[in-house]
Amino acid sequence: MLGETRQRLDSTHIVSNIRTLTRLGLFCEPIRVFLVALRREHPRLSAEVPEGLRKRYLKDDGEATTYADARAEKARRRLATCARDLWKLVDRFRGTVAAKLGEYELLARLLREQCELVDRPQSPESGDDDE
């Protein structure tokens, strides 16, 4: 039993081991994790992901790209691209066996909680990575 003057030392390291994500990172990391799981669990479906989209988030060896590490001036434009990519993935794999993956559920939740879906789709601007 711990006395009033004693504190557990293992509880002081919790915050330091939590990675802080930017808003852009909040979009990029779940997309990358989903693409890795999709390639591992359903390689045929993984082949249906457009190469440009896949290469934004995933290197050929499965590691993350540096797409999420953008400076402020590029981050806003990349965030719009990530939101469109997120919608494309959720929409494309809805109702497939890939939708049963926990990683897909995270994508769908991210879309619900962080994006505003509108009737009129937003087109990529000139210079966007997905134009």
Side-chain angles (χ1 to χ4, degrees):
M1 188 166 184
L2 296 175
E4 288 181 30
T5 59
R6 296 177 57 178
Q7 178 182 356
R8 289 178 51 143
L9 293 178
D10 59 346
S11 65
T12 62
H13 297 288
I14 293 173
V15 175
S16 67
N17 292 332
I18 295 174
R19 182 175 162 198
T20 304
L21 290 176
T22 62
R23 184 127 193 255
L24 181 59
L26 179 69
F27 278 74
C28 290
E29 187 61 13
I31 291 173
R32 183 192 70 78
V33 169
F34 171 73
L35 292 173
V36 168
L38 185 66
R39 182 166 59 181
R40 181 184 64 241
E41 300 293 328
H42 306 290
R44 261 192 244 147
L45 285 177
S46 178
E48 296 179 19
V49 175
E51 184 178 6
L53 188 152
R54 182 184 49 79
K55 285 189 172 189
R56 268 194 286 283
Y57 307 99
L58 197 62
K59 294 180 185 176
D60 289 333
D61 63 0
E63 291 295 314
T65 64
T66 58
Y67 195 73
D69 298 331
R71 294 195 182 268
E73 62 270 5
K74 286 188 175 183
R76 185 173 203 150
R77 180 169 279 170
R78 285 187 180 182
L79 186 58
T81 300
C82 289
R84 285 189 296 271
D85 289 344
L86 176 65
W87 181 84
K88 288 173 192 173
L89 290 170
V90 169
D91 187 58
R92 168 60 193 93
F93 295 106
R94 182 180 292 123
T96 68
V97 292
K100 294 180 178 151
L101 293 171
E103 293 84 355
Y104 175 86
E105 292 174 16
L106 287 176
L107 290 186
R109 179 180 174 191
L110 180 64
L111 184 66
R112 274 191 321 272
E113 293 180 0
Q114 295 291 322
C115 297
E116 182 179 336
L117 298 179
V118 294
D119 292 333
R120 192 184 71 221
Q122 178 189 5
S123 302
E125 295 179 19
S126 177
D128 279 358
D129 296 326
D130 64 339
E131 82 174 312

